Amino acid sequence: LDDKYAWAIASRGLTYRLMGKYDEALADFTRALELDDKYAWAIANRGVTYQLLGKYDEALIDFNRALELDDKLDWAIANRGLTYRLLGKYDEALADFTRALELDDKYAWAIANRGETYRLMSRYDEALADFTRALELDDKYAWAIANRGVTYQLLGKYDEALADFTRALELDDKDAWAIAHRGETYWVLSKYEEALADFTRALELDDKDAWAIAHRGETYWVLSKYEEALADFTRALELDDKDAW
């Protein structure tokens, strides 16, 4: 094989990754790079694959290498930003998302992920601004809607939070995370039956979510359903005995 086949191998790698076959994807990206070691697109896509596997150091190495070869790859810059955020390096993440947006100011994914970074830094007004801007560009971006809902919740704007969670779930009714956070919002508003329904629905989708199980237990406790509460607290602790809630 010569380097003209690198594109086909790397494209197969991308296909494997989109199918969730990460080991096969890695093998193909690596093979393509044996044929053409300056193939920035393949290097960056291997970085994304490492990121999805939780191999953040390897991901950063690939993103850095790809950007040495082509510093205008906005999606690689943004994915390096995501990797930094997953490592808790929020300042570096912000810098990368902002740099990506200097290259493409309509990049909704990067805007929303910068918003999420701001939220994790408790910079809620900036987070809201970014989520809202992303939704102006793509009003069906369920992830951004749900994360704006969490931001509203943290600001005590519960009606706005409920509206966002409900809209996100109209777009994706299998998002256990959004369902559970809507349940938490109902709980704060003392709407315990609605909260219970949401926590239970979330757990039908993901029965190992210790956070949702514990919050459902708390809801049962408030409703004086102590046996159900005990069962949930015990189950949550079996899954995560480090959390005191």
Side-chain angles (χ1 to χ4, degrees):
L1 289 177
D2 59 38
D3 61 4
K4 71 181 180 181
Y5 291 101
W7 177 87
I9 297 168
S11 293
R12 187 175 67 177
L14 176 58
T15 305
Y16 277 133
R17 194 184 76 215
L18 294 171
M19 295 172 69
K21 296 183 175 183
Y22 300 135
D23 290 335
E24 292 91 334
L26 279 182
D28 270 354
F29 289 132
T30 298
R31 176 63 178 138
L33 292 168
E34 290 169 354
L35 295 170
D36 179 2
D37 64 358
K38 292 183 171 57
Y39 191 177
W41 184 89
I43 298 170
N45 271 286
R46 188 175 66 176
V48 173
T49 310
Y50 278 132
Q51 179 200 91
L52 290 166
L53 287 166
K55 297 183 175 183
Y56 302 132
D57 291 336
E58 292 92 331
L60 285 178
I61 290 169
D62 272 354
F63 291 134
N64 288 336
R65 174 61 179 146
L67 292 168
E68 288 171 0
L69 294 165
D70 183 354
D71 64 0
K72 298 291 192 293
L73 281 177
D74 55 357
W75 62 271
I77 297 169
N79 271 280
R80 186 176 66 179
L82 175 56
T83 307
Y84 279 132
R85 194 181 75 215
L86 292 167
L87 288 166
K89 297 183 176 183
Y90 299 137
D91 290 332
E92 292 90 335
L94 279 183
D96 270 352
F97 290 131
T98 298
R99 173 64 180 140
L101 291 168
E102 290 169 355
L103 295 167
D104 179 3
D105 64 358
K106 292 184 171 57
Y107 190 177
W109 185 89
I111 297 169
N113 272 277
R114 187 175 67 176
E116 174 68 356
T117 308
Y118 279 133
R119 184 180 71 80
L120 292 168
M121 297 172 79
S122 301
R123 294 167 63 172
Y124 301 133
D125 290 337
E126 290 148 299
L128 279 181
D130 270 354
F131 288 133
T132 299
R133 173 63 179 144
L135 292 168
E136 289 169 355
L137 294 166
D138 180 1
D139 64 358
K140 292 184 170 58
Y141 192 173
W143 183 88
I145 298 169
N147 276 279
R148 187 176 67 174
V150 172
T151 309
Y152 277 133
Q153 183 194 77
L154 292 165
L155 287 167
K157 297 183 176 183
Y158 301 122
D159 290 337
E160 292 92 333
L162 284 178
D164 271 354
F165 290 134
T166 298
R167 173 62 179 145
L169 292 167
E170 288 170 357
L171 294 166
D172 180 5
D173 65 357
K174 299 286 194 299
D175 187 344
W177 183 89
I179 297 168
H181 278 82
R182 186 176 66 176
E184 183 185 31
T185 308
Y186 279 133
W187 194 95
V188 172
L189 291 169
S190 301
K191 295 184 175 183
Y192 300 123
E193 294 297 342
E194 292 92 332
L196 193 60
D198 270 354
F199 289 133
T200 298
R201 173 61 180 145
L203 291 167
E204 289 170 355
L205 295 166
D206 180 3
D207 65 357
K208 291 183 171 57
D209 184 346
W211 182 90
I213 296 169
H215 278 75
R216 187 176 67 174
E218 192 174 19
T219 308
Y220 278 133
W221 189 88
V222 169
L223 292 168
S224 300
K225 297 183 176 182
Y226 300 126
E227 289 186 10
E228 292 91 335
L230 276 178
D232 272 354
F233 290 141
T234 300
R235 174 62 177 147
L237 289 166
E238 290 170 353
L239 292 167
D240 182 3
D241 63 1
K242 303 286 192 304
D243 199 337
W245 302 296

